[in-house]
Amino acid sequence: MTHGDNGGPVCSLKFVTLLVALSPELLFLGAGVQLQNNGYDGLLIAINPQVSEDQHLIPNIKEMITEASFYLFNATKRRLFFRNIKILIPATWKANNYSKVKQESYEKANVIVTNWHGTHGGDPSTLQYRGCGKEGKYIYFTPDFLLNDDLTAGYGSRGRVFVHEWAHLRWGVFDEYNNEKPIYINGKNQIKVTRCSSDITGMFVCERGPCPQENCIISKLFQEGCMFIYNSTQNATASIMFMQSLSSVVEFCNATTHNQEAPNLQNQMCSLRSTWDVISESADFDHSFPMNGTKLPPPPTFSLVQTGEKVVCLVLDVSSKMAEADRLLQLQQAAEFYLMQIVELHTFVGIVSFHSKGEIRSQLHQINNDDDRKLIVSYLPATVSAEAETSICSGLKKGFELVEKLNGKAYGSVMILATSGNDQHISNCLLTVLSSGSTIHTIALGSSAAQNLEELSHLTGGFKFFAPDKSNSNSIIDAFSSISSGTGDIFQQHIQLESTGENVKPHHELKNTVAVDNSVGNDTAFLVIWQTSGPPEIVLFDPNGRKYNTNNFIINQALRTARLWIPGTAKPGLWTYALNNTYHSRQALKVTVTSCASHSDMPPATVEVFVEGDRAHFPHPIMIYASVRKGFYPILNATVTATIEPETGDPVTQKLFDDGAGADVIKNDGIYSRYFFSFAVNGRYSLKVHVNHSPSISTLANSIPGSHAMYIPGYIANGNIQMNAPQISMGRSEEEQRWAFSRISSGGSFSVLGVPAGPHPDVFPPSKIIDLEAVNVEEEVTLSWTAPGEDFDQGQVDSYEIRISKSLQNIQNDFNNAILVNTSKLNPQQAGTKETFTFSPKLFISGQEYQPDGETQESHRIYVAIRAMDKNSLKSAVSNIALTSLFIPHNSAPVLARDYVILKGVLTAMGLIGIICLIIAVTHCILNRKKRADKKENGTKLL
């Protein structure tokens, strides 16, 4: 059964109606940052467990946010400030009368404070993965930045830096500086410094002091030892996204002060729009108005909450629906896997089952060893009930009752709710769920699960998963594997290296390799699952050729699972497994491999998967993202494959790319992206991502990606150069990756509505081009971009439409009426290919610009945009707008004028020659006639 097209919104409306009736405190639980009456509530700052306790860290965070609140209030013209902030203290710090955590967790934080493997320093940064005007993932600070007061000389005060990063995170604006292109040539052929606004002043400085520009810049490049140093005292008030450290800077660049020519990310990503233009169109500005009067807002209030004991309750459906498609067996297998391999030590675990009523099957037990794990597994439900009715609320209430026995409250606990029941009364316990302080992760089993089940996850900040009714699907295993404690301590978490399943014919094998790299290897376990009564024949070889077979595995015949733990640290390299189906008919065989970090000072490679939006309406696509990194360093050149499983039909696989085109906003930031639009049916879809990487050089990027606050090397004060301490580099030198690695990560589930039942016409346009660049060479313009596809980023477009204008506003607002460039000789390439096109806009350009020094020169700003069209005339959105300037020296006439002068000269010369020839001819005739007359006269005289 598939979901109806309008069932979801009706159910959601009930939830929204109930939310309105709730108190504001409950409304903010699990809801993230909210804007109410000009103030932000619910901002969560989390400190990583690896950060050492320091008595100055929390006061400095409070001071930073307080200063940022007033600075933000003035910068937004009395609109916005920070009201309520929560700081999440890790359990590794001493207890200090902190409040108990409710639904807050490290993975939900808007701001994280962390260091990786002993590095210090580092720019404050924000991870942005979506694009202009879109929210980012999180802000990142190091403890060193928050504790070392000497760094404020280079960054400015911490409050100002926070506002810089907040603009990245909340409003999707980008940096207005460019360390890779600190200078550029403007439209008047002048060398300029990349800055915004252009009114910010300074001078070029060499190793020995101030020096003229010509000594610092040769062939448009900075010479070694040269830099541009800014004056500490300025009159310019913008921009916060350039140099928040200047005391005069109190606002964002607007249309008046914005520097469109500067080669910075803001211009590239936002089509030359100013930061204030983007911010003023945000939802925050739509829902707020400037506060009247001159009174300042109140300072922020802070709540300090600390992670306590980890408590997990499995809430498992045992209604008669669970007997269908082996749902209960697959749930048992996944729950055993979670309890034996995933759940962290020292966690309290209990089990509740439910149908029309809830039942406590196991009281809370703390996991301290394998015997504790086996004891909890023994309480898993083994049979289904005869009742078809399910009451999810009854199961959850029993779960709350169970965990409240530990400390009197369910605060900070986790419920893992797995059900296939079509319960229509979930809204009856909404208030209880929200006030419990528990986080609920939901797993929908099969297509019959309640349509509004995911609302429980959404409102409490939990994950949502879907497992289709397919014997060879590992979705439910992947779901349990992705549920961690949420503390942010990657060294204590199990990492999934392999997850696969196939329907294998009799006497055929499921054979593959799994790469174990040197960053993992501790507590490595291989899990084999089969479908029939007996285990397959298992053969496993480690990288050195040591052989393990079925006898080495621990067999659980009732659950049809076999598990092998590798003692010590698993050897890095390729492990090869083969499962031989000895049964007389086809059966599903599945393999899952997990491991833990091998070294406490070397973070393992991780994969985080997420989608933009969890519900799509056909034909709008879903955008899939996978962040692949080691610590905070992105891993490049990986093979990243997404597998999407619908409720019915075959799974779809497609590669994700980190190429800065299509759905991928920024190239080489470790975030691999792709559009997904191959919707087969309505309903839920399960998502997981598989990452493979072969041994190579330069696996890791040389720097941490994201939008960074700029560190200023020095200032000029009263004519004197005052240099700041050199910035500590966070970059990495190239390193050799000796070992291949493999990772699996679930991306949860999403829903699609409105998919037509039968064949439908082409409704998918090409994707928007987001990386258009324009470079002028003499009197020609060369464009470059990445080719989109016939359907978003797949296939090949039919044609391109390129238009140019001398007015940014015209090409932004009226692209169809801008001047069309002839592209008849431009042949589109396959999606992902780099396209180039050169044209001459000279026929479009006319007129001269007056120069202040009295000289004249041709200087023309040209705005260029492009749009792709497929064979069915579906058009992409207009690309980012590129700017270029054509410059013709003042001692050289324009091309058209020169041609006219030459033509005029030629015609004049030809005219003069004609006249001379005519005169010669006339003269010749006259002389001839006179000569004949003279001869006649002489003859008469002789007679």
Side-chain angles (χ1 to χ4, degrees), residues 673-693:
S673 318
R674 197 76 185 274
Y675 291 103
F676 174 71
F677 53 90
S678 301
F679 305 128
V681 294
N682 290 306
R684 295 181 174 98
Y685 287 71
S686 176
L687 167 66
K688 77 174 176 182
V689 166
H690 190 182
V691 177
N692 278 311
H693 201 291

Side-chain angles (χ1 to χ4, degrees), residues 52-364:
S52 301
E53 186 168 1
D54 189 293
Q55 61 180 347
H56 300 294
L57 188 57
I58 292 175
N60 285 6
I61 291 175
K62 291 181 177 181
E63 181 181 336
M64 174 178 69
I65 302 298
T66 301
E67 180 195 2
S69 182
F70 296 119
Y71 188 56
L72 179 69
F73 184 70
N74 290 325
T76 56
K77 317 299 183 189
R78 300 182 57 81
R79 279 182 183 265
L80 306 169
F81 63 94
F82 297 108
R83 182 185 289 116
N84 296 313
I85 288 86
K86 290 183 178 180
I87 302 176
L88 180 61
I89 312 299
T92 52
W93 287 26
K94 296 177 182 177
N96 191 18
N97 294 323
Y98 301 125
S99 300
K100 185 171 176 56
V101 72
K102 294 182 181 178
Q103 289 159 344
E104 303 85 8
S105 68
Y106 185 86
E107 55 203 8
K108 301 176 191 176
N110 314 106
V111 182
I112 57 177
V113 180
T114 185
N115 262 330
W116 286 105
H117 52 280
T119 56
H120 296 282
D123 296 328
S125 63
T126 302
L127 185 60
Q128 294 180 268
Y129 64 96
R130 294 168 65 193
C132 185
K134 304 292 184 65
E135 286 191 53
K137 189 71 173 170
Y138 53 72
I139 298 172
Y140 155 73
F141 291 113
T142 63
D144 193 41
F145 170 80
L146 294 170
L147 295 172
N148 187 353
D149 292 338
D150 293 338
L151 294 177
T152 59
Y155 291 109
S157 64
R158 297 187 184 102
R160 285 170 168 254
V161 172
F162 189 87
V163 172
H164 176 100
E165 299 303 330
W166 180 255
H168 288 312
L169 179 74
R170 185 71 177 182
W171 301 313
V173 295
F174 292 83
D175 289 320
E176 292 171 329
Y177 66 91
N178 189 338
N179 287 332
E180 295 181 359
K181 296 180 181 179
I183 58 172
Y184 66 97
I185 308 299
N186 71 358
K188 300 175 183 178
N189 206 32
Q190 298 169 331
I191 295 175
K192 294 292 183 181
V193 177
T194 302
R195 54 190 162 183
C196 193
S197 71
S198 298
D199 296 332
I200 295 178
T201 60
M203 68 172 63
F204 288 96
V205 174
C206 302
E207 292 179 344
R208 299 180 181 179
C211 59
Q213 174 178 304
E214 55 268 21
N215 290 358
C216 256
I217 302 174
I218 299 177
S219 299
K220 304 177 184 179
L221 297 174
F222 261 135
Q223 293 302 295
E224 187 176 353
C226 285
M227 63 183 67
F228 191 83
I229 303 296
Y230 296 92
N231 296 322
S232 61
T233 302
Q234 303 275 351
N235 294 323
T237 57
S239 168
I240 293 172
M241 302 314 293
F242 175 62
M243 283 184 69
Q244 73 286 332
S245 56
L246 292 173
S247 59
S248 66
V249 170
V250 293
E251 59 186 23
F252 298 94
C253 259
N254 55 34
T256 303
T257 57
H258 181 58
N259 180 5
Q260 293 179 357
E261 292 185 305
N264 56 41
L265 206 54
Q266 172 64 23
N267 279 330
Q268 177 187 334
M269 301 301 301
C270 297
S271 290
L272 311 179
R273 297 168 64 196
S274 70
T275 53
W276 182 252
D277 183 25
V278 176
I279 293 169
S280 60
E281 291 185 0
S282 66
D284 289 351
F285 273 52
D286 288 343
H287 301 147
S288 64
F289 298 94
M291 296 174 62
N292 296 324
T294 59
K295 187 177 179 180
L296 293 174
T301 59
F302 296 89
S303 302
L304 305 182
V305 296
Q306 186 173 31
T307 304
E309 295 167 315
K310 291 172 284 190
V311 181
V312 176
C313 180
L314 306 185
V315 183
L316 310 178
D317 185 357
V318 293
S319 66
S320 60
K321 278 285 184 183
M322 293 296 293
E324 300 175 7
D326 281 337
R327 289 173 186 164
L328 181 63
L329 175 61
Q330 293 194 54
L331 177 58
Q332 289 174 309
Q333 293 168 342
E336 186 214 28
F337 161 75
Y338 174 77
L339 294 172
M340 295 300 297
Q341 294 180 219
I342 300 299
V343 69
E344 297 172 21
L345 287 173
H346 313 305
T347 302
F348 287 89
V349 181
I351 300 176
V352 165
S353 63
F354 69 95
H355 38 83
S356 61
K357 296 179 181 180
E359 177 188 0
I360 296 176
R361 301 188 63 88
S362 169
Q363 299 294 335
L364 292 177

Side-chain angles (χ1 to χ4, degrees), residues 808-918:
L808 174 62
Q809 185 175 4
N810 287 350
I811 203 167
Q812 281 178 334
N813 302 332
D814 196 9
F815 176 80
N816 291 331
N817 287 325
I819 295 176
L820 183 65
V821 176
N822 185 355
T823 58
S824 58
K825 295 183 180 180
L826 176 56
N827 297 316
Q829 305 298 309
Q830 279 289 329
T833 305
K834 202 66 176 179
E835 301 264 33
T836 58
F837 179 69
T838 300
F839 68 99
S840 176
K842 62 185 180 182
L843 297 177
F844 149 71
I845 301 169
S846 63
Q848 295 180 327
E849 295 181 357
Y850 175 74
Q851 303 302 318
D853 57 6
E855 297 181 359
T856 59
Q857 61 181 8
E858 288 294 343
S859 176
H860 305 282
R861 283 188 179 185
I862 301 175
Y863 300 95
V864 189
I866 186 172
R867 182 165 61 183
M869 183 185 301
D870 68 12
K871 61 186 177 183
N872 293 314
S873 299
L874 295 176
K875 296 180 179 180
S876 70
V878 177
S879 71
N880 64 297
I881 298 172
L883 169 65
T884 188
S885 298
L886 288 189
F887 166 77
I888 302 174
H890 66 272
N891 59 353
S892 176
V895 174
L896 292 180
R898 185 169 66 248
D899 291 345
Y900 175 74
V901 170
I902 294 172
L903 179 61
K904 184 176 180 181
V906 171
L907 293 175
T908 302
M910 291 177 65
L912 291 173
I913 292 171
I915 293 171
I916 293 171
C917 291
L918 181 61

Side-chain angles (χ1 to χ4, degrees), residues 527-546:
L527 173 68
V528 175
I529 296 175
W530 63 94
Q531 191 177 5
T532 57
S533 57
E537 180 183 335
I538 306 171
V539 178
L540 173 67
F541 290 96
D542 75 6
N544 292 344
R546 178 178 176 181

